[in-house]
Amino acid sequence: GDWSSRECVLTYSNLHFPRLVLDFPRCLEQEFPEEFPLVWEVVNQVIKETKGKSFPELERNSPGLKGFHWEAYLRCSAVRMARVLRALKKRQIVGGTLLDVGSYFGNFSLMLAKAGFQVVAIDSYKRYGRDLDFIVQLLKNEKIEVLDFQDIEEDWHQIASGRFDVVVCLGVIEHIPHTPRQI
């Protein structure tokens, strides 16, 4: 598909199955009409910030990320973003202090801040050298507090108990080797 335009049309067909057309992001917009404008605005904001950036430390830490298509990753994350926003609204959680554990490129943190939450984002930003400094700055510019796992180490008590109304951990658990019990 062509990500340079607003949409991407994927077509799949073979002799045994009928033709399937996925019109993205229009299908997302149709399924999540209330959430989509904010989600797509934030996705495009983060994509704009990542354009032309290189990520040598990310690639050194995770060789599979060398040459990774970050724009496609961020656009596809819009599905998860819309689902999270809807799930919070469905539970009538529309504000409060929120901790985003594993904030990475900040798309969830940015979206949730723009949706009315006071957001604290935490990730291993220092581990990635200067690769994600621009994301940290973007988050701070949007009045999002940014913490680093390196600073709190194993002492989660540094994050005040009872401080948060909501804790989200999105796109993290699948990266934890062996067992997610600790998280």
Side-chain angles (χ1 to χ4, degrees):
D2 178 13
W3 289 112
S4 62
S5 66
R6 186 175 169 332
E7 59 206 41
C8 175
V9 178
L10 303 172
T11 306
Y12 171 80
S13 65
N14 70 24
L15 295 175
H16 303 291
F17 297 99
R19 184 170 181 244
L20 170 69
V21 176
L22 175 62
D23 188 357
F24 188 85
R26 197 163 293 125
C27 61
L28 185 63
E29 184 176 21
Q30 289 171 348
E31 186 173 350
F32 297 94
E34 290 179 32
E35 297 83 4
F36 182 80
L38 176 58
V39 167
W40 208 243
E41 171 194 337
V42 169
V43 165
N44 285 309
Q45 179 183 8
V46 175
I47 287 170
K48 180 181 174 190
E49 293 293 325
T50 61
K51 287 265 193 234
K53 300 274 193 295
S54 62
F55 303 102
E57 281 301 308
L58 280 174
E59 293 172 0
R60 190 178 68 71
N61 282 298
S62 301
L65 296 179
K66 188 167 180 59
F68 194 73
H69 196 300
W70 290 107
E71 184 176 343
Y73 167 80
L74 290 165
R75 291 208 188 276
C76 289
S77 73
V79 176
R80 293 183 298 144
M81 293 168 68
R83 289 180 186 275
V84 165
L85 203 52
R86 178 167 291 166
L88 291 169
K89 285 180 186 177
K90 182 178 178 181
R91 288 162 181 79
Q92 299 178 344
I93 304 171
V94 293
T97 305
L98 181 141
L99 176 64
D100 181 5
V101 178
S103 48
Y104 207 38
F105 275 83
N107 46 329
F108 288 98
S109 293
L110 287 167
M111 175 192 71
L112 293 164
K114 290 178 185 236
F117 291 90
Q118 182 181 358
V119 177
V120 176
I122 185 167
D123 207 314
S124 298
Y125 290 113
K126 291 179 181 176
R127 180 178 177 204
Y128 306 128
R130 303 193 54 88
D131 286 9
L132 297 179
D133 284 356
F134 71 100
I135 292 295
V136 170
Q137 192 57 54
L138 174 63
L139 295 173
K140 288 180 177 180
N141 289 347
E142 296 289 336
K143 309 295 186 245
I144 295 169
E145 181 183 347
V146 180
L147 301 175
D148 196 284
F149 285 120
Q150 182 177 314
D151 296 333
I152 67 163
E153 297 174 346
E154 297 293 321
D155 185 11
W156 281 83
H157 293 96
Q158 289 183 37
I159 301 176
S161 178
R163 176 179 176 192
F164 300 102
D165 302 303
V166 181
V167 177
V168 295
C169 185
L170 308 159
V172 173
I173 202 165
E174 69 272 19
H175 298 285
I176 299 172
H178 311 297
T179 178
R181 244 182 292 180
Q182 287 181 318
I183 198 160

